[in-house]
Amino acid sequence: PLIPMGIMPAAQQHSWKSLRPDATRQLWYTMRVFRLIWSAARGWMVAWGILLAVQGLMPVALVYLTKPLVDGLKAAIGGGTSWEAVRPVLLVAVAMGAILLLTELLKVAIEWIGNAQSELIQDHIADLVHAKSAAVDLAFYETPDFYDHLYRARDDASNRPLALLQSTGSLVQNGITLVAMAAVLIPYGSRLPQALLLRTLPGLDLV
């Protein structure tokens, strides 16, 4: 029998209801992690975000310069090998080469900043764990669960914030590239940005 519109099966309703608390807890956890990272390395986090945004625009700049390069090559072929005909092509080619070089430099800088953030975050978390360990009652040291929680706090807190930061950074960078690329493609047809969005959505995944 057909299910009336607007009526969801009980099992599906239960699935959606169970997803909402999970999403809320995940969002709360994410906000706490970013507050932790901000308190440990806010300066490096700002620099990291700026470099990610710039790196996200680099592929768009290459696509944007492709048309002037092709047009310049066509004009140079049609106008002979004079300097006036070749000069625009060389300028665009040099600009594209500079963008490729800048992209590699940005990768190195982002990796270096990530290492600096990692050290600061680990030191900050170690200080927090040490302060918490000193504040608890001595009776906690007599239970195996305490050492288990202490080990997990030191291990997970040192790795998970960095993993979340990297996955979020990749998502933000890809989003900037997608939006900027769509803006560049709009003059060539409204369906091109839509096709780009549909092609990109399956690849967006949060770790």
Side-chain angles (χ1 to χ4, degrees):
L2 294 176
I3 300 175
M5 293 295 294
I7 299 179
M8 187 179 295
Q12 193 171 355
Q13 289 181 7
H14 178 72
S15 176
W16 279 106
K17 289 179 180 179
S18 63
L19 282 176
R20 269 186 275 176
D22 291 340
T24 303
R25 284 195 297 268
Q26 185 66 28
L27 179 61
W28 178 80
Y29 168 75
T30 302
M31 296 301 296
R32 287 197 63 184
V33 169
F34 275 102
R35 283 198 297 267
L36 175 66
I37 296 173
W38 180 259
S39 62
R42 67 182 64 187
W44 289 118
M45 190 174 180
V46 171
W48 172 80
I50 293 173
L51 292 182
L52 273 183
V54 175
Q55 190 179 35
L57 296 174
M58 292 297 101
V60 184
L62 287 175
V63 173
Y64 183 79
L65 291 175
T66 300
K67 186 177 184 301
L69 180 64
V70 174
D71 294 341
L73 287 173
K74 289 172 60 178
I77 293 173
T81 57
S82 63
W83 170 249
E84 293 298 327
V86 175
R87 181 173 176 272
V89 178
L90 291 178
L91 291 177
V92 175
V94 170
M96 296 180 73
I99 291 173
L100 292 173
L101 178 61
L102 179 59
T103 301
E104 295 302 319
L105 293 176
L106 286 172
K107 289 180 181 178
V108 174
I110 290 174
E111 183 178 357
W112 185 81
I113 290 177
N115 293 332
Q117 282 181 314
S118 174
E119 294 179 2
L120 290 174
I121 292 170
Q122 289 179 0
D123 292 342
H124 182 66
I125 291 174
D127 292 339
L128 293 177
V129 172
H130 177 74
K132 192 66 177 178
S133 301
V136 298
D137 190 86
L138 292 177
F140 284 95
Y141 289 94
E142 300 177 358
T143 60
D145 290 340
F146 171 78
Y147 290 99
D148 180 59
H149 291 312
L150 183 62
Y151 174 79
R152 290 177 57 188
R154 288 175 176 172
D155 185 59
D156 294 345
S158 298
N159 298 325
R160 290 189 179 182
L162 296 174
L164 179 62
L165 186 66
Q166 291 174 357
S167 60
T168 304
S170 298
L171 182 64
V172 171
Q173 180 182 337
N174 292 335
I176 291 173
T177 302
L178 177 62
V179 172
M181 192 74 73
V184 170
L185 294 177
I186 283 177
Y188 301 97
S190 59
R191 295 197 176 187
L192 287 177
Q194 298 175 8
L196 177 65
L197 179 62
L198 293 176
R199 177 66 179 86
T200 308
L201 282 177
L204 295 178
D205 187 19
L206 264 178
V207 178

